[in-house]
Amino acid sequence: MSSTPTHRVFNFSAGPAVLPEPVLQEAQRDLVALPGVGMSILEISHRSAAFDGVLELAEADLRALIGLGGDHHVLFLQGGASQQFAMVPMNLLPTDGVADYIVTGSWAKKAATEAEKFGRVNVCATTEADAFTRVPSSDELHPTPGAAYVHLTSNNTIVGTQWPTLPEVGDAPLVVDASSDLLCRPIDGNRCGLVYAGAQKNLGPAGLTVVIVRKDLTQRAPESIPTMLRYAVAAKHGSRYNTPPVFAIYLFGLVMRWLRDMGGLSAMETRNRRKAGVLYDAIDRTGFYRGTADPGSRSLMNVTFRLPSEALEQQFVTEAAAAGLSGLKGHRSVGGQRASIYNAFPEAGVTALVDFMCEFERVHG
Ligand SMILES: *Cc1c(COP(=O)(O)O)cnc(C)c1O
C-alpha cells in the first residue's frame, strides 16, 4: 500500500475513529471494481467466492496477528459492542449461575446492568468510589468460585484507563470488552473465553462487531434464545447466517493487512507506547495540564486531561480544531479533554498536539 499526501486533519475522535490512510486509499482505488472481480465490494453477494476470499483472509490475518489457535471461533457480527452486553449473558449465563463483572467505567456498568436481565450478576470489583480513575489491583478482585464467567472492560474509553495486562481471574472464562483497544498490543486470546469489540474504534468502520469465542462456550446457550443472537449459529454459518456487513468486513480485512505490514502487534505496542508517552510527558511537564487517570492505569488509546478552568477547556477545543486538531473534547459525562490515539492515529498528529499544547500554555498559562 502506498501513501500520498492529502488534506486530512488530525482526527482525535473516540469513535468512529481515524482509519489508516493507506487503507482508505486502497478502498477508494478499488471501490468501483474489485481487482479480478469487476464489481464493487458494495455490489457482490455475501455468498460469492470473491467475498469468501475477503472474509477468510480477514479472519486468517486476525488469527495470525493474535496467534489464535483452533479452540476459538472468530465471528463477524452486527449490533455493536452494546449488543454483546446482552448476547454474552444470553449465551453464557445459565439460569442458576452467577456472572462476575468488574466495573471500571460506564461501559462496564452498562454491560453489568444488561446482564442482570438474564441472570445473577455479582460486581466482584469496582473503582466507582474513585470515579473510575483507575483499574483495580489484583488483590481487589474477588471472583465468585464457580462463576459462569468474569467480565471486564480492557480499556475504558471515556475515563482513559486501561488494564496494564489482563488479570488472573481463576478458573472462570474471562470475557473482555476490548472495543477500544483490541490489537493495540499483543493479547493472549487463547487464555480468554470471549473477546468482543465494536470495530469502529481500533479495527475498522462502524457496523461490524468482532467476537472471538472459545468453541465449547458456544454450546452453553439455552434453546430459547433468538437464532440471530446465538454464537453457535453464527459459527456454524461462517458469520453468514444472514447478510453480514460486507463492506465493513472488507475494510476490516484491509486494516488487518496494514497491521501486518506495520510489523504486527508488538510493533504496534512499541509505537503506541511512544505516542502515548510523548503526550503524557507533555501533560505532566508543568501543572497547567492535569491527567485524570492514575499513572498506573493510563490508557495508550484514550488520553484524558483537564485544564485549569472549563472556560480554558472550551477555548482549547475550539482553537485546536481551528489548527487542524479535531475531536479533542472529552466525553460529555466527564468533561475535560480526550485525545484518542488509536493504532491508525499518526505520530505526526501527536507531535502537532504537543506543539499546540505548549503554545496554548505559553499564551494562557
Ligand atoms: C464504544 C464502546 C462500547 C459501545 O460500542 P457500540 O459498538 O457503539 O455498541 C462498548 N464498550 C466500550 C469499551 C466502548 O468503547
Side-chain angles (χ1 to χ4, degrees):
M1 292 188 210
S2 72
S3 166
T4 53
T6 53
H7 300 291
R8 282 161 61 79
V9 299
F10 291 118
N11 177 6
F12 291 92
S13 168
V18 60
L19 287 160
E21 205 171 306
V23 164
L24 294 175
Q25 282 163 352
E26 180 170 341
Q28 180 190 45
R29 196 173 59 237
D30 294 344
L31 185 69
V32 172
L34 215 50
V37 179
M39 289 178 275
S40 172
I41 184 69
L42 296 166
E43 302 169 309
I44 63 174
S45 164
H46 58 293
R47 306 200 185 280
S48 62
F51 185 67
D52 285 346
V54 167
L55 188 141
E56 281 160 19
L57 184 60
E59 176 174 341
D61 280 346
L62 174 64
R63 283 182 179 277
L65 283 163
I66 296 180
L68 195 64
D71 290 345
H72 288 72
H73 293 298
V74 171
L75 307 177
F76 297 110
L77 308 180
Q78 300 185 61
S82 300
Q83 183 163 290
Q84 293 309 306
F85 295 169
M87 279 180 73
V88 165
M90 282 173 115
N91 283 269
L92 304 189
L93 180 54
T95 41
D96 57 350
V98 57
D100 278 342
Y101 278 73
I102 303 176
V103 174
T104 52
S106 41
W107 291 120
K109 211 169 173 177
K110 278 193 172 157
T113 303
E114 189 74 357
E116 282 169 2
K117 297 184 174 179
F118 302 99
R120 268 179 57 218
V121 167
N122 172 46
V123 174
C124 70
T126 174
T127 52
E128 187 160 20
D130 293 328
F132 297 130
T133 51
R134 62 183 187 90
V135 298
S137 59
S138 52
D139 53 331
E140 289 174 283
L141 308 179
H142 305 288
T144 309
Y149 59 85
V150 181
H151 180 283
L152 65 80
T153 311
S154 52
N155 183 72
N156 299 282
T157 324
I158 294 173
V159 287
T161 65
Q162 185 177 27
W163 292 80
T165 54
L166 292 181
E168 289 295 336
V169 294
D171 294 335
L174 185 60
V175 174
V176 182
D177 175 359
S179 289
S180 50
D181 71 345
L182 188 57
L183 309 189
C184 84
R185 60 188 179 190
I187 176 175
D188 187 359
N190 295 308
R191 173 158 93 78
C192 297
L194 190 151
V195 181
Y196 64 92
Q200 69 274 15
K201 280 149 190 162
N202 206 28
L203 306 175
L208 168 66
T209 311
V210 177
V211 174
I212 297 165
V213 57
R214 223 172 66 200
K215 289 177 177 170
D216 62 296
L217 295 178
T218 65
Q219 301 307 315
R220 278 195 193 172
E223 281 305 316
S224 56
I225 70 173
T227 310
M228 276 292 290
L229 301 181
R230 302 174 77 88
Y231 294 123
V233 169
K236 181 172 170 215
H237 294 271
S239 299
R240 278 157 293 181
Y241 174 73
N242 76 330
T243 315
V246 170
F247 182 74
I249 293 169
Y250 160 76
L251 215 74
F252 168 87
L254 296 187
V255 173
M256 295 306 105
R257 264 293 122 123
W258 176 80
L259 286 170
R260 296 196 72 171
D261 290 349
M262 292 290 286
L265 302 191
S266 293
M268 286 320 292
E269 176 171 14
T270 303
R271 186 170 176 268
N272 286 328
R273 286 198 182 283
R274 198 161 57 222
K275 280 157 54 183
V278 167
L279 200 41
Y280 284 117
D281 282 350
I283 290 167
D284 293 339
R285 206 171 42 86
T286 66
F288 185 73
Y289 299 103
R290 185 169 47 85
T292 56
D294 265 23
S297 299
R298 283 176 162 180
S299 170
L300 296 175
M301 300 277 93
N302 310 98
V303 176
T304 50
F305 56 100
R306 310 246 16 187
L307 273 69
S309 71
E310 283 187 24
L312 277 176
E313 289 175 339
Q314 181 55 51
Q315 197 175 349
F316 182 94
V317 170
T318 309
E319 288 184 16
L325 307 170
S326 168
L328 285 164
K329 194 168 162 44
H331 191 269
R332 59 190 179 280
S333 64
V334 294
Q337 263 59 57
R338 172 175 54 181
S340 298
I341 49 171
Y342 299 115
N343 281 347
F345 190 86
E347 297 204 74
V350 174
T351 310
L353 175 57
V354 168
D355 290 348
F356 177 82
M357 287 168 71
C358 287
E359 180 60 14
F360 192 86
E361 181 177 347
R362 195 184 62 77
V363 174
H364 301 280

